[in-house]
Amino acid sequence: MAKPASLSGFPEWLPSGRLLEQLVLDSLRRTFELHGFSSLETRAVEPLADLLRKGETSKEVYVLSRLQGQDGEDSSRKLGLHFDLTVPLARYVLENAGHLAFPYRRYQIQKVWRGERPQDGRFREFTQADIDVVGMDKLSFHHEVEVALVIADALSALPIGDFRISVNNRKICQGFYQAIGLENIDEALRVIDKLDKIGPQKVTQALIEQAGANEEQAQLALQLAAISGSESHDVRRRVNELGHTSELLEEGLAELCALLDGAKESAPGRVTAELKIARGLDYYTGSVYETTLVGHENLGSICSGGRYDSLASDGKKTYPGVGLSIGVSRLVSRLIATGAAAPSRAVPTAVLVAVNNEGERASSDAVARELRARGIPTEVAPSAAKFGKQIRYADRRQIPYVWFPGEDGGQIKDIRSGQQDAADPATWMPPAEDLWPHLS
Amino acid sequence: MAKPASLSGFPEWLPSGRLLEQLVLDSLRRTFELHGFSSLETRAVEPLADLLRKGETSKEVYVLSRLQGQDGEDSSRKLGLHFDLTVPLARYVLENAGHLAFPYRRYQIQKVWRGERPQDGRFREFTQADIDVVGMDKLSFHHEVEVALVIADALSALPIGDFRISVNNRKICQGFYQAIGLENIDEALRVIDKLDKIGPQKVTQALIEQAGANEEQAQLALQLAAISGSESHDVRRRVNELGHTSELLEEGLAELCALLDGAKESAPGRVTAELKIARGLDYYTGSVYETTLVGHENLGSICSGGRYDSLASDGKKTYPGVGLSIGVSRLVSRLIATGAAAPSRAVPTAVLVAVNNEGERASSDAVARELRARGIPTEVAPSAAKFGKQIRYADRRQIPYVWFPGEDGGQIKDIRSGQQDAADPATWMPPAEDLWPHLS
């Protein structure tokens, strides 16, 4: 076999990078579970028809076929790989509603696949970590505050530096557009969402040409989009100063202010209202969220989501929800590339037990067994080479300790400091920070 | 959307089943890491040409195509979903050999896909947990003992009851067949591997008709296959009594006996020699392993593998390895179906904080925040319903404790016993066994 080439858009990590990713995922899972979210894992495939329902993403779907499948296979039963974790969640909730307790609180950490052109931070296969709260027929607004604070907790626990969760509320935009008589609301939202990309001049032009706004409506929409801040009274005052109101606008404003007030209490400094955020997808109906890493704004949003009044419906029941999705691969690839975070060592092993000679391997195995029984990750040297070579083996893998078996247990050497002491495998413990790898 | 149908062969679990699966995977990961194995996660896809190299599995591969891909796309660059974790490992080792330390100890827990007909315990999408030790140009025999003992440790830590790891050594069969002049060794191994399925008469016939054996050779091959036992001296004696020997046979016998002796020391009662085990795949070159659950033999092997002298080769270097693969989905589906094991509760949450009225939700949130900060999984009641209803909400999810906020912290109620006490959110801790769900 010739040396294989890596596939663009399908990232894989070396052992220390994978360990970093595992520690990030462990931390996310712990936060989600501390907040009472249950894990869900869905199959990787969905019927193609369900994947294409939203329309917008059709170009990105990977379709499956069995190599030996019949040509005439029923195309209505074709399967594709999921491109997000929301379509599978909606299907799972409908399929299992009778067995779930609502509001259903789930997190889901899985690979998703999109056939789009790979770029920096944009992959064809990547890991997402989603949380959602899904109600049956109703879902209280306070969950829109809650999920933002869970994400703030989750990201605060990671070594990623400062971040900003930017929030808005669809009802504010819709209510405001209604109040000023701008009728093509969906199109106006799509245009406003491009503000950072194309700038205010082009947005004005597009609002007029595509969303049917007049000059004054376009200017007002831009003035609304320019409002930002983390103090609820300040945001409320600036929206009111624009001089247009509607019931829907007031409802959205009350919700946005409640979200800011809740965040001020639980996650000070993390959450900011940005009224230019519209999120392109037209199924959001309340709060919307985007998250950027301070200093890495060019990475784009690392965590987005919102409230949707109808995640799924079977005709009798409707399932509203609110959720956010963290782009784990995007985050981890940046952490690896910049070296901003690293595991405290590259392998799980804390102790390498040296082997005096192959005839005495069993006594090294016995020491290792004793250490493992007390929860210390241990491996035995692969060969009875000279001790210098066995120490280099440990050093190359960043294993911190080497155990030399002998009478009365033996000796333990910290190969970072060179310190060597007599030790008993029945009682010796490494310092807590050396027991398992952790993020540093 | 109509109620969606589940897909045969693509299992999904309800929250408590998924929690069981997570606890099984956590336990496997812990054992693998205690033995110094590093995690690897590979992409889900491989070039189709690499997946088909082994030939035997071609009918099972799921092939990918992009929905909007060009018809004329280069078919030599077609991708398929991996059907095991060994093909990706071989490719990853070749691709990254310069960055890996050998022997490379890796575990890999991932989904694999096979388009075969679904049956009980046989899925189209399922999770495997693999361990392998891979050397560069050489790999000492002692790793063949080691991996069997890691698996014995890993399975012993699971609530799956008794199990048997059956072992053999390819060199014994090959050496013996050479000694008795049976020339078509690969075909003879394939036939012997079917002994349990088709019985000795049909095996005799097949050895004669397909493997070119004469009557006496066929009988000798069957006599060898009938040998089993966990005492090395006993196995050695019975092989020698057949009266044929060769250098290769003696080498294999010495290895098998060393494996039995090592297992007797570290995992008494778990490992048995079964000389009928051949494993159909012709790339094994030394020890081979199969594992059955006592009382669930009809489930088939839940963990198999072996030694291969050439996992991969780039023409200059060869990478020998030894490894085993646990069929996690098969195991978990049986545990769920039989109720043989269950998580101690169905959700991560230990405490539900009740809400007195919606105006006081913030004080319930504050209690929850204090408990979480000390590592206690906590959620807040979704509505300020009557306390009886809030308690039923907890009961339905198997959340063991309900916190009633009040002056001086409030009251904590164990809803299993009905016991209620005053408590301070800054100091209260549940008993250790209630903190997180565990397997029971």
Side-chain angles (χ1 to χ4, degrees), chain B residues 5-58:
Chain B
S6 62
L7 281 177
S8 176
F10 292 86
E12 290 181 336
W13 315 126
L14 289 170
S16 69
R18 168 60 184 163
L19 189 44
L20 171 67
E21 182 177 58
Q22 284 185 294
L23 293 170
V24 166
L25 294 174
D26 289 348
S27 176
L28 292 175
R29 171 180 168 187
R30 180 180 159 84
T31 304
F32 298 158
E33 294 187 346
L34 275 175
H35 284 267
F37 286 75
S38 287
S39 175
L40 170 64
E41 188 160 278
T42 59
R43 63 197 193 210
V45 302
E46 297 295 333
L48 193 56
D50 294 344
L51 291 172
L52 301 184
R53 188 157 293 146
K54 276 202 273 172
E56 206 180 333
T57 43
S58 62

Side-chain angles (χ1 to χ4, degrees), chain A residues 3 12-13 26 29 34 39 43-44 53 63-65 91-92 95 103 125 142 266 369 378 382 397, chain B residues 1 3 12-13 18 26 29 34 43-44 63-65 91-92 95 103 125 142 266 369 378 382 397:
Chain A
K3 186 167 162 31
E12 289 181 335
W13 315 125
D26 289 347
R29 172 180 168 186
L34 275 175
S39 174
R43 63 197 192 210
R53 188 156 295 148
V63 186
L64 294 189
S65 54
R91 192 260 316 152
Y92 179 87
E95 194 177 327
E125 174 181 71
H142 63 76
S266 298
R369 211 155 48 236
T378 305
R397 289 156 191 256
Chain B
M1 196 192 274
K3 185 166 161 35
E12 290 181 336
W13 315 126
R18 168 60 184 163
D26 289 348
R29 171 180 168 187
L34 275 175
R43 63 197 193 210
V63 186
L64 294 189
S65 53
R91 192 259 316 151
Y92 178 87
E95 192 176 327
E125 175 181 70
H142 62 77
S266 299
R369 212 155 46 238
T378 305
R397 288 156 192 257

